[in-house]
Amino acid sequence: HDEEFPPRILDHVMKNAIKGDVTNVIDVIDKYCWSVEIAMNVGDVKGAILDKSFLEASPKNVLEIGCYCGYSALRMSRLLKEDAKIFTIEASSQYADVAQEIISFAGMEKKVQILRGLSDEVLPTIAEKCGVRTFDFVFIDHAKELYKRDLIMLENLGLIRQGTTIMADNVIFPGCPDYLEYVRNSPKFECTNYPSKLEYCENREDAMEKSIYLP
Ligand SMILES: COCc1ccccc1-c1cc(O)c2[nH]cnc(=O)c2c1
Ligand SMILES: [Mg+2]
């Protein structure tokens, strides 16, 4: 991916969005990505699907794997109930730096905590580090080849509980066939597929997959 997008979107947000207005920051990012250059944010169309599942779950402890520039963390943060929090794992320090700036600009720095590092290095200590026992809502949106490994890790570490909602982006494009096969064939997950389009594209299919954990 274009390593130069993150600084460009940060600059664009700082110059064109309203400080402290999280909804406006989200809109400014979407308008930029529709009109200037595509970026791998979940986007407005799939973002609305994420919003709906998020509101249904009404979570207290939220985990995101794959923060990028903070767009989906901002989408969820604006729907958070009182005393709820989002923990988002980001392996790229360049992305994490930009995400921190954008999240702070939007005024959500108290609601969103970025955890820097690889997911398999962060997950084993996340419970004690973040004072969380289990997560109520998980959004998986990082390297597609790591979705299945990380979900199994969440199970083995006891970081998800009866009824936890797991949303996965890009289950069609780029696609995560081993993850889909795993959750759909497992008796421990109730799955729903939400067909959509790749972010900021009109003619490429993608989908989100919701999996409710029922061990
Ligand atoms: C805007 O399309 C970006 C794009 C284009 C071609 C192939 C893949 C992707 C893509 C799309 C996503 O939603 C992604 N989400 C998270 N981590 C990714 O690496 C990722 C990659
Ligand atoms: Mg994605």
PDB file of all heavy atoms in Angstrom, residues 1 38-42 46 65-66 68 140-144 147 169-170 173-174 198-201 204 206, ligand 1:
ATOM      1  N   HIS A   1       0.832  -1.204   0.000  1.00  0.00           N
ATOM      2  CA  HIS A   1       0.000   0.000   0.000  1.00  0.00           C
ATOM      3  C   HIS A   1       0.850   1.230   0.000  1.00  0.00           C
ATOM      4  O   HIS A   1       1.957   1.233   0.492  1.00  0.00           O
ATOM      5  CB  HIS A   1      -0.943  -0.017   1.213  1.00  0.00           C
ATOM      6  CG  HIS A   1      -1.825  -1.199   1.111  1.00  0.00           C
ATOM      7  ND1 HIS A   1      -2.801  -1.288   0.196  1.00  0.00           N
ATOM      8  CD2 HIS A   1      -1.755  -2.375   1.725  1.00  0.00           C
ATOM      9  CE1 HIS A   1      -3.354  -2.490   0.292  1.00  0.00           C
ATOM     10  NE2 HIS A   1      -2.732  -3.161   1.202  1.00  0.00           N
ATOM     11  N   ILE A  38      -8.085   6.427  -3.050  1.00  0.00           N
ATOM     12  CA  ILE A  38      -8.633   5.308  -2.266  1.00  0.00           C
ATOM     13  C   ILE A  38      -7.631   4.924  -1.188  1.00  0.00           C
ATOM     14  O   ILE A  38      -6.422   4.941  -1.420  1.00  0.00           O
ATOM     15  CB  ILE A  38      -8.882   4.096  -3.191  1.00  0.00           C
ATOM     16  CG1 ILE A  38     -10.066   4.383  -4.130  1.00  0.00           C
ATOM     17  CG2 ILE A  38      -9.153   2.845  -2.379  1.00  0.00           C
ATOM     18  CD1 ILE A  38     -10.434   3.218  -5.014  1.00  0.00           C
ATOM     19  N   ALA A  39      -8.132   4.584  -0.002  1.00  0.00           N
ATOM     20  CA  ALA A  39      -7.262   4.077   1.068  1.00  0.00           C
ATOM     21  C   ALA A  39      -8.000   2.937   1.760  1.00  0.00           C
ATOM     22  O   ALA A  39      -9.210   2.800   1.611  1.00  0.00           O
ATOM     23  CB  ALA A  39      -6.951   5.177   2.063  1.00  0.00           C
ATOM     24  N   MET A  40      -7.278   2.136   2.527  1.00  0.00           N
ATOM     25  CA  MET A  40      -7.889   0.912   3.045  1.00  0.00           C
ATOM     26  C   MET A  40      -8.637   1.071   4.374  1.00  0.00           C
ATOM     27  O   MET A  40      -8.633   0.156   5.205  1.00  0.00           O
ATOM     28  CB  MET A  40      -6.848  -0.205   3.139  1.00  0.00           C
ATOM     29  CG  MET A  40      -5.684   0.060   4.030  1.00  0.00           C
ATOM     30  SD  MET A  40      -4.573  -1.383   3.974  1.00  0.00           S
ATOM     31  CE  MET A  40      -3.305  -0.827   5.104  1.00  0.00           C
ATOM     32  N   ASN A  41      -9.311   2.236   4.533  1.00  0.00           N
ATOM     33  CA  ASN A  41     -10.251   2.383   5.652  1.00  0.00           C
ATOM     34  C   ASN A  41     -11.467   1.508   5.333  1.00  0.00           C
ATOM     35  O   ASN A  41     -11.756   1.280   4.161  1.00  0.00           O
ATOM     36  CB  ASN A  41     -10.751   3.823   5.772  1.00  0.00           C
ATOM     37  CG  ASN A  41      -9.662   4.869   5.633  1.00  0.00           C
ATOM     38  OD1 ASN A  41      -9.702   5.697   4.740  1.00  0.00           O
ATOM     39  ND2 ASN A  41      -8.685   4.825   6.514  1.00  0.00           N
ATOM     40  N   VAL A  42     -12.206   1.075   6.368  1.00  0.00           N
ATOM     41  CA  VAL A  42     -13.386   0.252   6.084  1.00  0.00           C
ATOM     42  C   VAL A  42     -14.384   1.052   5.224  1.00  0.00           C
ATOM     43  O   VAL A  42     -15.161   0.486   4.457  1.00  0.00           O
ATOM     44  CB  VAL A  42     -14.019  -0.294   7.392  1.00  0.00           C
ATOM     45  CG1 VAL A  42     -14.742   0.804   8.169  1.00  0.00           C
ATOM     46  CG2 VAL A  42     -14.934  -1.475   7.108  1.00  0.00           C
ATOM     47  N   LYS A  46     -19.357  -0.032   4.104  1.00  0.00           N
ATOM     48  CA  LYS A  46     -19.155  -1.140   5.062  1.00  0.00           C
ATOM     49  C   LYS A  46     -19.168  -0.595   6.487  1.00  0.00           C
ATOM     50  O   LYS A  46     -19.560  -1.284   7.427  1.00  0.00           O
ATOM     51  CB  LYS A  46     -17.837  -1.864   4.767  1.00  0.00           C
ATOM     52  CG  LYS A  46     -17.884  -2.740   3.510  1.00  0.00           C
ATOM     53  CD  LYS A  46     -16.621  -3.578   3.375  1.00  0.00           C
ATOM     54  CE  LYS A  46     -15.413  -2.721   3.033  1.00  0.00           C
ATOM     55  NZ  LYS A  46     -14.169  -3.535   2.963  1.00  0.00           N
ATOM     56  N   ILE A  65      -8.367  -5.135  15.689  1.00  0.00           N
ATOM     57  CA  ILE A  65      -7.040  -5.591  15.237  1.00  0.00           C
ATOM     58  C   ILE A  65      -6.844  -4.996  13.849  1.00  0.00           C
ATOM     59  O   ILE A  65      -7.503  -5.396  12.890  1.00  0.00           O
ATOM     60  CB  ILE A  65      -6.930  -7.127  15.204  1.00  0.00           C
ATOM     61  CG1 ILE A  65      -7.405  -7.744  16.533  1.00  0.00           C
ATOM     62  CG2 ILE A  65      -5.476  -7.524  14.926  1.00  0.00           C
ATOM     63  CD1 ILE A  65      -7.332  -9.264  16.580  1.00  0.00           C
ATOM     64  N   GLY A  66      -5.934  -4.016  13.764  1.00  0.00           N
ATOM     65  CA  GLY A  66      -5.704  -3.286  12.520  1.00  0.00           C
ATOM     66  C   GLY A  66      -6.320  -1.903  12.600  1.00  0.00           C
ATOM     67  O   GLY A  66      -7.469  -1.713  12.243  1.00  0.00           O
ATOM     68  N   TYR A  68      -4.807   1.120  11.330  1.00  0.00           N
ATOM     69  CA  TYR A  68      -4.444   1.938  10.162  1.00  0.00           C
ATOM     70  C   TYR A  68      -4.456   3.410  10.571  1.00  0.00           C
ATOM     71  O   TYR A  68      -3.756   3.775  11.516  1.00  0.00           O
ATOM     72  CB  TYR A  68      -5.328   1.588   8.962  1.00  0.00           C
ATOM     73  CG  TYR A  68      -4.876   2.206   7.654  1.00  0.00           C
ATOM     74  CD1 TYR A  68      -3.522   2.240   7.310  1.00  0.00           C
ATOM     75  CD2 TYR A  68      -5.799   2.764   6.781  1.00  0.00           C
ATOM     76  CE1 TYR A  68      -3.111   2.823   6.120  1.00  0.00           C
ATOM     77  CE2 TYR A  68      -5.395   3.344   5.584  1.00  0.00           C
ATOM     78  CZ  TYR A  68      -4.062   3.381   5.260  1.00  0.00           C
ATOM     79  OH  TYR A  68      -3.667   3.965   4.083  1.00  0.00           O
ATOM     80  N   ILE A 140     -11.988  -7.252  13.275  1.00  0.00           N
ATOM     81  CA  ILE A 140     -10.752  -7.762  12.667  1.00  0.00           C
ATOM     82  C   ILE A 140     -10.597  -7.148  11.276  1.00  0.00           C
ATOM     83  O   ILE A 140     -11.451  -7.332  10.403  1.00  0.00           O
ATOM     84  CB  ILE A 140     -10.760  -9.302  12.563  1.00  0.00           C
ATOM     85  CG1 ILE A 140     -11.054  -9.938  13.923  1.00  0.00           C
ATOM     86  CG2 ILE A 140      -9.430  -9.798  12.009  1.00  0.00           C
ATOM     87  CD1 ILE A 140     -11.165 -11.462  13.901  1.00  0.00           C
ATOM     88  N   ASP A 141      -9.524  -6.400  11.076  1.00  0.00           N
ATOM     89  CA  ASP A 141      -9.341  -5.679   9.816  1.00  0.00           C
ATOM     90  C   ASP A 141      -7.862  -5.478   9.532  1.00  0.00           C
ATOM     91  O   ASP A 141      -7.421  -4.374   9.177  1.00  0.00           O
ATOM     92  CB  ASP A 141     -10.068  -4.325   9.888  1.00  0.00           C
ATOM     93  CG  ASP A 141     -10.094  -3.621   8.546  1.00  0.00           C
ATOM     94  OD1 ASP A 141      -9.964  -4.306   7.509  1.00  0.00           O
ATOM     95  OD2 ASP A 141     -10.208  -2.373   8.533  1.00  0.00           O
ATOM     96  N   HIS A 142      -7.071  -6.555   9.662  1.00  0.00           N
ATOM     97  CA  HIS A 142      -5.640  -6.412   9.396  1.00  0.00           C
ATOM     98  C   HIS A 142      -5.222  -7.367   8.295  1.00  0.00           C
ATOM     99  O   HIS A 142      -6.001  -7.628   7.374  1.00  0.00           O
ATOM    100  CB  HIS A 142      -4.818  -6.611  10.699  1.00  0.00           C
ATOM    101  CG  HIS A 142      -4.953  -7.964  11.353  1.00  0.00           C
ATOM    102  ND1 HIS A 142      -6.096  -8.725  11.268  1.00  0.00           N
ATOM    103  CD2 HIS A 142      -4.064  -8.673  12.110  1.00  0.00           C
ATOM    104  CE1 HIS A 142      -5.902  -9.849  11.958  1.00  0.00           C
ATOM    105  NE2 HIS A 142      -4.692  -9.840  12.462  1.00  0.00           N
ATOM    106  N   ALA A 143      -4.046  -7.931   8.357  1.00  0.00           N
ATOM    107  CA  ALA A 143      -3.575  -8.838   7.301  1.00  0.00           C
ATOM    108  C   ALA A 143      -4.476 -10.069   7.255  1.00  0.00           C
ATOM    109  O   ALA A 143      -4.669 -10.745   8.274  1.00  0.00           O
ATOM    110  CB  ALA A 143      -2.128  -9.243   7.575  1.00  0.00           C
ATOM    111  N   LYS A 144      -5.023 -10.347   6.063  1.00  0.00           N
ATOM    112  CA  LYS A 144      -6.058 -11.387   5.940  1.00  0.00           C
ATOM    113  C   LYS A 144      -5.553 -12.762   6.351  1.00  0.00           C
ATOM    114  O   LYS A 144      -6.312 -13.583   6.830  1.00  0.00           O
ATOM    115  CB  LYS A 144      -6.585 -11.431   4.504  1.00  0.00           C
ATOM    116  CG  LYS A 144      -6.888 -10.077   3.932  1.00  0.00           C
ATOM    117  CD  LYS A 144      -7.858  -9.315   4.822  1.00  0.00           C
ATOM    118  CE  LYS A 144      -7.665  -7.805   4.731  1.00  0.00           C
ATOM    119  NZ  LYS A 144      -8.106  -7.133   5.988  1.00  0.00           N
ATOM    120  N   TYR A 147      -6.171 -13.525  10.196  1.00  0.00           N
ATOM    121  CA  TYR A 147      -7.497 -13.529  10.839  1.00  0.00           C
ATOM    122  C   TYR A 147      -7.729 -14.806  11.652  1.00  0.00           C
ATOM    123  O   TYR A 147      -8.078 -14.759  12.826  1.00  0.00           O
ATOM    124  CB  TYR A 147      -8.605 -13.447   9.781  1.00  0.00           C
ATOM    125  CG  TYR A 147      -8.934 -12.104   9.198  1.00  0.00           C
ATOM    126  CD1 TYR A 147      -7.995 -11.110   9.019  1.00  0.00           C
ATOM    127  CD2 TYR A 147     -10.249 -11.856   8.787  1.00  0.00           C
ATOM    128  CE1 TYR A 147      -8.328  -9.889   8.437  1.00  0.00           C
ATOM    129  CE2 TYR A 147     -10.601 -10.638   8.208  1.00  0.00           C
ATOM    130  CZ  TYR A 147      -9.633  -9.673   8.041  1.00  0.00           C
ATOM    131  OH  TYR A 147      -9.982  -8.464   7.464  1.00  0.00           O
ATOM    132  N   ASP A 169     -13.648  -7.673   8.375  1.00  0.00           N
ATOM    133  CA  ASP A 169     -13.712  -6.963   7.098  1.00  0.00           C
ATOM    134  C   ASP A 169     -13.051  -7.807   6.001  1.00  0.00           C
ATOM    135  O   ASP A 169     -12.263  -8.703   6.279  1.00  0.00           O
ATOM    136  CB  ASP A 169     -12.980  -5.610   7.208  1.00  0.00           C
ATOM    137  CG  ASP A 169     -13.196  -4.743   5.973  1.00  0.00           C
ATOM    138  OD1 ASP A 169     -14.241  -4.913   5.299  1.00  0.00           O
ATOM    139  OD2 ASP A 169     -12.326  -3.920   5.661  1.00  0.00           O
ATOM    140  N   ASN A 170     -13.377  -7.515   4.744  1.00  0.00           N
ATOM    141  CA  ASN A 170     -12.679  -8.075   3.575  1.00  0.00           C
ATOM    142  C   ASN A 170     -12.774  -9.588   3.407  1.00  0.00           C
ATOM    143  O   ASN A 170     -11.824 -10.212   2.918  1.00  0.00           O
ATOM    144  CB  ASN A 170     -11.185  -7.694   3.607  1.00  0.00           C
ATOM    145  CG  ASN A 170     -10.953  -6.229   3.820  1.00  0.00           C
ATOM    146  OD1 ASN A 170     -10.387  -5.797   4.826  1.00  0.00           O
ATOM    147  ND2 ASN A 170     -11.398  -5.415   2.862  1.00  0.00           N
ATOM    148  N   PHE A 173     -12.878  -9.674  -0.529  1.00  0.00           N
ATOM    149  CA  PHE A 173     -11.717  -9.071  -1.187  1.00  0.00           C
ATOM    150  C   PHE A 173     -10.905  -8.249  -0.200  1.00  0.00           C
ATOM    151  O   PHE A 173     -11.464  -7.369   0.437  1.00  0.00           O
ATOM    152  CB  PHE A 173     -12.178  -8.185  -2.358  1.00  0.00           C
ATOM    153  CG  PHE A 173     -11.009  -7.642  -3.135  1.00  0.00           C
ATOM    154  CD1 PHE A 173     -10.415  -8.382  -4.154  1.00  0.00           C
ATOM    155  CD2 PHE A 173     -10.466  -6.403  -2.813  1.00  0.00           C
ATOM    156  CE1 PHE A 173      -9.321  -7.881  -4.846  1.00  0.00           C
ATOM    157  CE2 PHE A 173      -9.373  -5.889  -3.498  1.00  0.00           C
ATOM    158  CZ  PHE A 173      -8.802  -6.648  -4.525  1.00  0.00           C
ATOM    159  N   PRO A 174      -9.677  -8.524   0.067  1.00  0.00           N
ATOM    160  CA  PRO A 174      -8.838  -9.574  -0.534  1.00  0.00           C
ATOM    161  C   PRO A 174      -9.279 -11.004  -0.213  1.00  0.00           C
ATOM    162  O   PRO A 174      -8.884 -11.918  -0.920  1.00  0.00           O
ATOM    163  CB  PRO A 174      -7.465  -9.309   0.076  1.00  0.00           C
ATOM    164  CG  PRO A 174      -7.500  -7.909   0.547  1.00  0.00           C
ATOM    165  CD  PRO A 174      -8.909  -7.654   0.954  1.00  0.00           C
ATOM    166  N   LEU A 198     -16.038  -3.235  -1.944  1.00  0.00           N
ATOM    167  CA  LEU A 198     -14.745  -2.784  -1.423  1.00  0.00           C
ATOM    168  C   LEU A 198     -14.859  -1.282  -1.149  1.00  0.00           C
ATOM    169  O   LEU A 198     -15.548  -0.572  -1.899  1.00  0.00           O
ATOM    170  CB  LEU A 198     -13.637  -3.056  -2.444  1.00  0.00           C
ATOM    171  CG  LEU A 198     -12.233  -2.655  -2.002  1.00  0.00           C
ATOM    172  CD1 LEU A 198     -11.757  -3.495  -0.827  1.00  0.00           C
ATOM    173  CD2 LEU A 198     -11.261  -2.740  -3.169  1.00  0.00           C
ATOM    174  N   GLU A 199     -14.206  -0.824  -0.090  1.00  0.00           N
ATOM    175  CA  GLU A 199     -14.309   0.586   0.301  1.00  0.00           C
ATOM    176  C   GLU A 199     -13.999   1.509  -0.871  1.00  0.00           C
ATOM    177  O   GLU A 199     -13.066   1.279  -1.630  1.00  0.00           O
ATOM    178  CB  GLU A 199     -13.365   0.907   1.473  1.00  0.00           C
ATOM    179  CG  GLU A 199     -11.926   0.512   1.309  1.00  0.00           C
ATOM    180  CD  GLU A 199     -11.632  -0.829   1.935  1.00  0.00           C
ATOM    181  OE1 GLU A 199     -12.554  -1.654   2.011  1.00  0.00           O
ATOM    182  OE2 GLU A 199     -10.506  -1.067   2.340  1.00  0.00           O
ATOM    183  N   TYR A 200     -14.837   2.529  -1.018  1.00  0.00           N
ATOM    184  CA  TYR A 200     -14.628   3.590  -2.020  1.00  0.00           C
ATOM    185  C   TYR A 200     -14.605   3.055  -3.455  1.00  0.00           C
ATOM    186  O   TYR A 200     -14.057   3.690  -4.349  1.00  0.00           O
ATOM    187  CB  TYR A 200     -13.344   4.387  -1.712  1.00  0.00           C
ATOM    188  CG  TYR A 200     -13.231   4.820  -0.269  1.00  0.00           C
ATOM    189  CD1 TYR A 200     -12.207   4.355   0.557  1.00  0.00           C
ATOM    190  CD2 TYR A 200     -14.195   5.641   0.311  1.00  0.00           C
ATOM    191  CE1 TYR A 200     -12.131   4.711   1.897  1.00  0.00           C
ATOM    192  CE2 TYR A 200     -14.119   6.013   1.647  1.00  0.00           C
ATOM    193  CZ  TYR A 200     -13.092   5.540   2.434  1.00  0.00           C
ATOM    194  OH  TYR A 200     -13.015   5.905   3.758  1.00  0.00           O
ATOM    195  N   CYS A 201     -15.201   1.861  -3.649  1.00  0.00           N
ATOM    196  CA  CYS A 201     -15.315   1.320  -5.026  1.00  0.00           C
ATOM    197  C   CYS A 201     -16.783   0.991  -5.262  1.00  0.00           C
ATOM    198  O   CYS A 201     -17.502   0.619  -4.341  1.00  0.00           O
ATOM    199  CB  CYS A 201     -14.503   0.029  -5.169  1.00  0.00           C
ATOM    200  SG  CYS A 201     -12.743   0.258  -4.975  1.00  0.00           S
ATOM    201  N   ARG A 204     -16.498  -3.406  -7.162  1.00  0.00           N
ATOM    202  CA  ARG A 204     -15.763  -4.590  -6.702  1.00  0.00           C
ATOM    203  C   ARG A 204     -16.448  -5.129  -5.449  1.00  0.00           C
ATOM    204  O   ARG A 204     -16.647  -4.399  -4.478  1.00  0.00           O
ATOM    205  CB  ARG A 204     -14.301  -4.229  -6.383  1.00  0.00           C
ATOM    206  CG  ARG A 204     -13.462  -5.460  -6.097  1.00  0.00           C
ATOM    207  CD  ARG A 204     -12.018  -5.110  -5.892  1.00  0.00           C
ATOM    208  NE  ARG A 204     -11.275  -4.912  -7.133  1.00  0.00           N
ATOM    209  CZ  ARG A 204     -10.829  -5.900  -7.896  1.00  0.00           C
ATOM    210  NH1 ARG A 204     -11.118  -7.153  -7.578  1.00  0.00           N
ATOM    211  NH2 ARG A 204     -10.133  -5.645  -8.991  1.00  0.00           N
ATOM    212  N   ASP A 206     -17.203  -7.009  -1.982  1.00  0.00           N
ATOM    213  CA  ASP A 206     -16.546  -7.410  -0.749  1.00  0.00           C
ATOM    214  C   ASP A 206     -17.676  -7.759   0.214  1.00  0.00           C
ATOM    215  O   ASP A 206     -18.854  -7.668  -0.130  1.00  0.00           O
ATOM    216  CB  ASP A 206     -15.637  -6.284  -0.206  1.00  0.00           C
ATOM    217  CG  ASP A 206     -14.748  -6.779   0.943  1.00  0.00           C
ATOM    218  OD1 ASP A 206     -14.675  -8.005   1.148  1.00  0.00           O
ATOM    219  OD2 ASP A 206     -14.148  -5.930   1.633  1.00  0.00           O
TER     220      ASP A 206
HETATM  221  C1  LIG B   1      -9.053   0.196  -0.665  1.00  0.00           C
HETATM  222  O1  LIG B   1      -8.696  -1.114  -1.001  1.00  0.00           O
HETATM  223  C2  LIG B   1      -7.449  -1.481  -0.485  1.00  0.00           C
HETATM  224  C3  LIG B   1      -7.103  -2.786  -1.076  1.00  0.00           C
HETATM  225  C4  LIG B   1      -6.858  -2.864  -2.460  1.00  0.00           C
HETATM  226  C5  LIG B   1      -6.451  -4.057  -3.030  1.00  0.00           C
HETATM  227  C6  LIG B   1      -6.282  -5.169  -2.202  1.00  0.00           C
HETATM  228  C7  LIG B   1      -6.539  -5.100  -0.852  1.00  0.00           C
HETATM  229  C8  LIG B   1      -6.996  -3.917  -0.281  1.00  0.00           C
HETATM  230  C9  LIG B   1      -7.298  -3.893   1.182  1.00  0.00           C
HETATM  231  C10 LIG B   1      -8.568  -3.520   1.634  1.00  0.00           C
HETATM  232  C11 LIG B   1      -8.841  -3.512   2.995  1.00  0.00           C
HETATM  233  O2  LIG B   1     -10.072  -3.177   3.502  1.00  0.00           O
HETATM  234  C12 LIG B   1      -7.846  -3.866   3.930  1.00  0.00           C
HETATM  235  N1  LIG B   1      -8.131  -3.860   5.268  1.00  0.00           N
HETATM  236  C13 LIG B   1      -7.129  -4.150   6.148  1.00  0.00           C
HETATM  237  N2  LIG B   1      -5.888  -4.488   5.785  1.00  0.00           N
HETATM  238  C14 LIG B   1      -5.559  -4.555   4.472  1.00  0.00           C
HETATM  239  O3  LIG B   1      -4.404  -4.882   4.158  1.00  0.00           O
HETATM  240  C15 LIG B   1      -6.565  -4.219   3.472  1.00  0.00           C
HETATM  241  C16 LIG B   1      -6.286  -4.245   2.100  1.00  0.00           C
END
